[in-house]
């Protein structure tokens, strides 16, 4: 089960609203949604939480690029909403790398030969070749690091230091809202 909410900073404090992410397909869509909730281009936080698995915080300040923190990147990678937050930039990948890999995979068949070339390797079922099991030197280009990922200081200036953010696990959004002084407004939309 997911919970998603927007927390917009105003002159009078924080305003919270729950939000539907059905129409959100990219980080850009999510950022636009946050900017629409902004009052005078003030800070807007987007919270996404999958019960007992992971949470994410996206901070949008005016027209600046969004800042993202994810509590458990591996768990988020198994979630459609988590995939929105796990951008190439956040993962340290070259933008469009997935497209390049897909194009190369189309050129090379599963047997390692190019299209149209015959497979000239011997077909021996008793082959004990364990040396080619990990052709990628143990590195998976699609691997997502385990544990927290992103900007650990995303909430530091709002009252939640990095060390405390990294220690949050369950009911994290309640604790974050409490640290920001927005517990009551967050509870109202929960």
């Amino acid at each position: 089960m997911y919970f998603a909410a927007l927390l917009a900073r105003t002159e009078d404090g924080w305003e919270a609203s729950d939000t539907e992410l059905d129409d959100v397909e990219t980080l850009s869509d999510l950022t636009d949604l946050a900017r629409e909730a902004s009052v005078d281009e003030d800070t807007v936080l987007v919270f996404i939480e999958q019960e007992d698995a992971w949470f994410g915080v996206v901070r949008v300040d005016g027209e600046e690029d969004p800042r993202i923190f994810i509590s458990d990147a591996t768990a988020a990678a198994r979630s459609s909403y988590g995939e929105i937050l796990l951008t190439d930039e956040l993962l340290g990948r070259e933008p469009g790398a997935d497209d390049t890999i897909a194009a190369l995979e189309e050129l090379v068949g599963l047997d390692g030969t190019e299209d149209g070339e015959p497979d000239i390797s011997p077909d021996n079922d008793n082959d004990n070749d364990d040396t080619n099991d990990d052709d990628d030197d143990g590195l998976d280009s699609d691997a997502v690091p385990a544990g927290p990922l992103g900007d650990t200081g995303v909430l530091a200036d709002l009252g939640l230091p990095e060390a405390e953010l990294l220690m949050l696990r369950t009911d994290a959004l309640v604790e974050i809202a409490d640290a920001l002084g927005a517990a009551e407004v967050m509870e109202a939309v929960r």
Side-chain angles (χ1 to χ4, degrees), residues 140-176:
D140 183 359
S141 63
D142 293 330
V144 176
L149 183 66
D151 186 348
T152 57
V154 69
L155 301 173
D157 65 325
L158 299 174
L160 189 69
E162 293 180 38
E164 289 182 31
L165 181 64
L166 289 170
M167 292 179 5
L168 297 176
R169 295 292 173 248
T170 58
D171 293 326
L173 299 186
V174 172
E175 292 185 43
I176 292 171

Side-chain angles (χ1 to χ4, degrees), residues 33-179:
L33 185 69
R35 286 189 176 121
E36 289 171 12
S38 176
V39 177
D40 297 326
E41 295 190 8
D42 226 339
T43 301
V44 176
L45 302 172
V46 180
F47 296 119
I48 302 173
E49 180 179 60
Q50 183 179 4
E51 192 172 293
D52 297 328
W54 67 276
F55 70 90
V57 178
V58 178
R59 179 177 177 165
V60 178
D61 294 300
E63 292 300 316
E64 293 181 28
D65 287 341
R67 296 169 59 190
I68 303 167
F69 173 78
I70 300 171
S71 66
D72 186 335
T74 304
R78 294 187 295 265
S79 156
S80 58
Y81 295 128
E83 288 179 345
I84 292 170
L85 304 181
L86 292 169
T87 63
D88 286 337
E89 182 180 347
L90 191 65
L91 293 168
R93 294 181 188 155
E94 189 71 32
D98 290 340
D99 296 336
T100 303
I101 291 169
L104 290 173
E105 286 174 348
E106 286 180 27
L107 293 175
V108 178
L110 294 176
D111 59 2
T113 61
E114 290 186 31
D115 286 342
E117 287 184 11
D119 182 6
I120 56 173
S121 62
D123 188 18
N124 185 354
D125 289 339
N126 294 329
D127 191 13
N128 245 355
D129 186 11
D130 291 338
T131 59
N132 288 334
D133 287 347
D134 292 318
D135 289 344
D136 58 2
D137 298 316
L139 299 175
D140 183 359
S141 63
D142 293 330
V144 176
L149 183 66
D151 186 348
T152 57
V154 69
L155 301 173
D157 65 325
L158 299 174
L160 189 69
E162 293 180 38
E164 289 182 31
L165 181 64
L166 289 170
M167 292 179 5
L168 297 176
R169 295 292 173 248
T170 58
D171 293 326
L173 299 186
V174 172
E175 292 185 43
I176 292 171
D178 188 44

